[in-house]
Each structure stands twice: as C-alpha cells, then as structure tokens.
Amino acid sequence: MSGLRDSAVGTLTEWSAPAGDEQQEKLRQEYLAHLGAHEDGLWKACADGHITASALVIDPSAGRVLLTLHRKLRMWLQMGGHCEPEDATLEDAALREAREESGIEELTLLPGGPLRLDRHLTPCAWHLDVQYAALAPEGALEQVSDESLELRWYAYEDVAGAADESVVRLTERARSLVGDGRR
C-alpha cells in the first residue's frame, strides 16, 4: 500500500495547478500536508479526511459528459470514490471508479494527469478529491451501478443546470483540453 501512497505524493508533487489558479495550488499543498500528517490519509478509515479519485466521463465527439445521480448524496456528480488496496496509482483508482460507476469498460484517461483538485465534506469525512477526465468511445452505452440512482449525458453547456460548481469547473477544464468535438 506504500506504493499507492508514494505514487500519490509523486502525482501531487509533480502536478501543476492551472496557470494563475492560486486556490488549486493551495489545495495541492494541503493534500501533500495531509498525506505527510496521516499515514492512513488515502483510506476511508482516516476520520480527518482522505484522498479520493474521480473522473469526469467525456464523449468529446458529441460534446457531452456523463454524470451520475449519486445514491447517497442525491447530487449529479462525476464518477469517483475511495482508493482501494488494489489501486497502484490515483489514476488507477479514478479509472476503476469511472468504469465501475458508468458501466463503460472502454474508458481511457485523458493524458497529462489530474485536471483539478476539489475538497468537499461528505457524510463519511472530508474528501480531498483528485479529479481526472476519462474519454468514452463514440456511442458508448452506460449502465447504472449500485452506487447510482441514474446516469445521464449532459451537453457541456447544460452541466451548470444540473450539477454543483465543482462539477461545472471540472467540465470547463476538461472542455478546454478536449474542445467541443462536435461535428
């Protein structure tokens, strides 16, 4: 399990916040300090909060993202959750969560590492989320998992009407990297 910890520290050390985004840089430093102060900082058992990994599923060819209506939180969110012992990296955790929650096995992570960081309070503890984007193949068919009430594709511009500001910012960041892609 120290492999995942070392990988997470490496990912957060090497990651650069988007230019001029002081809040993202502050979160990066907080995440590293959290891991330095908590040997169990990657695991759900850490009551002071824990690193999580998520991925926004994107269909760039159609200019849309797949969101889940989270069963417990009752909010439209990107796919994601807790790290598991079998995850070697945060990227592995994000991709595993995205595949499990979307039912789309052919997902691949957008290269270049995390897109954003987001710290939010959940019923179990603070989540220090490391956010990625996962590319869905054109025409991918989603399948609802036990963690979701529903899955729904949203055009980029419709995300703000369904999801919170964190998901909107993640969508905007992903869109800036992959473009609209619509024909």
Side-chain angles (χ1 to χ4, degrees):
M1 288 196 256
S2 66
L4 175 58
R5 181 184 180 74
D6 291 346
S7 175
V9 169
T11 295
L12 291 165
T13 300
E14 294 169 11
W15 182 72
S16 295
D21 195 331
E22 293 176 18
Q23 182 61 28
Q24 287 290 288
E25 177 57 25
K26 181 179 175 192
L27 284 175
R28 186 182 77 83
Q29 294 294 333
E30 288 176 11
Y31 285 24
L32 286 168
H34 176 79
L35 287 173
H38 299 89
E39 195 63 35
D40 62 347
L42 283 161
W43 310 114
K44 187 176 181 179
C46 184
D48 287 338
H50 37 270
I51 303 290
T52 57
S54 67
L56 180 68
V57 175
I58 305 170
D59 176 356
S61 66
R64 62 185 188 162
V65 299
L66 182 65
L67 299 181
T68 177
L69 182 55
H70 195 279
R71 183 172 297 283
K72 292 180 182 175
L73 301 177
R74 309 271 182 188
M75 296 172 62
W76 287 102
L77 301 169
Q78 73 275 14
M79 316 300 153
H82 298 104
C83 296
E84 300 291 340
E86 67 268 17
D87 298 323
T89 64
L90 292 175
E91 292 87 351
D92 289 348
L95 189 56
R96 175 186 49 75
E97 287 285 345
R99 288 175 174 163
E100 287 174 0
E101 293 182 14
S102 72
I104 304 171
E105 286 299 317
E106 303 84 13
L107 296 175
T108 57
L109 287 184
L110 184 67
L115 273 62
R116 295 186 45 77
L117 305 176
D118 185 72
R119 183 176 182 266
H120 50 272
L121 187 59
T122 70
C124 74
W126 282 99
H127 279 188
L128 286 69
D129 198 34
V130 181
Q131 301 177 328
Y132 294 84
L135 301 174
E138 190 171 346
L141 297 175
E142 69 280 2
Q143 184 173 349
V144 176
S145 75
D146 292 342
E147 296 183 37
S148 301
L149 293 171
E150 184 180 348
L151 294 172
R152 188 179 301 166
W153 290 100
Y154 285 91
Y156 295 141
E157 57 272 7
D158 295 335
V159 171
D164 70 10
E165 191 60 33
S166 169
V167 180
V168 171
R169 286 191 301 267
L170 179 58
T171 301
E172 289 170 352
R173 177 77 174 132
R175 186 179 186 182
S176 74
L177 296 172
V178 299
D180 277 346
R182 293 182 221 168
R183 297 182 183 108

